[in-house]
Amino acid sequence: MSKVLGLEEEITLALRRIARATDLHSRLLLGLHGLTAPQLLTLQGIARLQPVTVGALARAVRVSQATATGILDRLHDRGLVTRTRGGRDRRQVVVELTEEGARMVAAAPSLLQDRFRAELARLPRWEQTMILATLQRIATMMDAEAIDGEPALTADAPHAAPPADLGVCLGDDPPAGSGEP
């Protein structure tokens, strides 16, 4: 006998499906293009704002400065960005794309899944705007502004495979007792 789910259960399931789809797409980006969604978002932010300080970049892509620094470390190691100390304020670090980084941004796919982009494009502008407003409202209601965007969206290890149950494990940390480091 099936029971009708309550509103909270339906909302929870919808949010889990969105989180799972987002994680899978980030892993696909990593597998196909060698970049996670947060790395690509960071590269796009640099392209839009360069030269940009790490602090300004972190605010623009809505991650903590520590997370931005970690992402920039990985991008720098791959030769996609340069970092230099500020001229007058040596505490500031200024970030710019390298030629390879600019090529990567130019060739990069969308951060949104193709199907979602296509369905969104079919909607009238007012409905697209309502979806954005609703998603922003959900993020606010969940206090998501205080949550760093990177952990649930990354899979920095090139060999990383999606966990068996992404509804339970959405981030980089393996499930307890999995034996993985």
Side-chain angles (χ1 to χ4, degrees), residues 64-139:
S64 71
Q65 191 156 340
T67 296
T69 299
I71 293 170
L72 290 170
D73 286 344
R74 291 183 287 282
L75 296 175
H76 183 264
D77 290 347
R78 292 187 54 197
L80 302 176
V81 299
T82 61
R83 295 186 285 195
T84 55
R85 292 276 173 200
R88 291 186 304 172
D89 186 351
R90 303 289 295 156
R91 295 171 297 177
Q92 284 190 331
V93 174
V94 177
V95 183
E96 294 183 83
L97 294 179
T98 62
E99 287 183 26
E100 180 62 23
R103 278 193 294 277
M104 186 75 80
V105 169
S110 172
L111 285 165
L112 295 176
Q113 296 174 342
D114 291 339
R115 179 177 174 192
F116 180 78
R117 282 182 63 226
E119 294 291 328
L120 187 65
R122 285 189 192 94
L123 298 175
R125 183 71 176 165
W126 68 266
E127 198 168 356
Q128 294 174 9
T129 304
M130 283 195 57
I131 288 171
L132 172 60
T134 300
L135 289 169
Q136 289 172 333
R137 177 68 180 244
I138 291 167

Side-chain angles (χ1 to χ4, degrees), residues 1-178:
M1 168 186 341
S2 78
K3 295 195 177 207
V4 177
L5 295 177
L7 182 61
E8 283 189 27
E9 290 88 358
E10 291 286 357
I11 290 171
T12 300
L13 289 173
L15 290 172
R16 285 181 59 171
R17 288 176 62 201
I18 291 168
R20 182 171 190 262
T22 300
D23 187 63
L24 288 173
H25 186 64
S26 184
R27 291 171 189 268
L28 180 68
L29 287 173
L30 179 64
L32 296 176
H33 303 282
L35 292 171
T36 63
Q39 290 171 349
L40 180 53
L41 185 65
T42 300
L43 282 175
Q44 290 171 339
I46 296 166
R48 190 174 58 253
L49 302 169
Q50 68 182 340
V52 61
T53 64
V54 174
L57 177 63
R59 286 187 299 278
V61 298
R62 294 185 175 95
V63 297
S64 71
Q65 191 156 340
T67 296
T69 299
I71 293 170
L72 290 170
D73 286 344
R74 291 183 287 282
L75 296 175
H76 183 264
D77 290 347
R78 292 187 54 197
L80 302 176
V81 299
T82 61
R83 295 186 285 195
T84 55
R85 292 276 173 200
R88 291 186 304 172
D89 186 351
R90 303 289 295 156
R91 295 171 297 177
Q92 284 190 331
V93 174
V94 177
V95 183
E96 294 183 83
L97 294 179
T98 62
E99 287 183 26
E100 180 62 23
R103 278 193 294 277
M104 186 75 80
V105 169
S110 172
L111 285 165
L112 295 176
Q113 296 174 342
D114 291 339
R115 179 177 174 192
F116 180 78
R117 282 182 63 226
E119 294 291 328
L120 187 65
R122 285 189 192 94
L123 298 175
R125 183 71 176 165
W126 68 266
E127 198 168 356
Q128 294 174 9
T129 304
M130 283 195 57
I131 288 171
L132 172 60
T134 300
L135 289 169
Q136 289 172 333
R137 177 68 180 244
I138 291 167
T140 299
M141 291 169 67
M142 295 178 77
D143 193 29
E145 291 86 13
I147 301 170
D148 223 346
E150 188 196 13
L153 297 176
T154 60
D156 282 334
H159 62 279
D165 182 1
L166 289 173
V168 173
C169 178
L170 294 174
D172 286 335
D173 296 328
S178 69

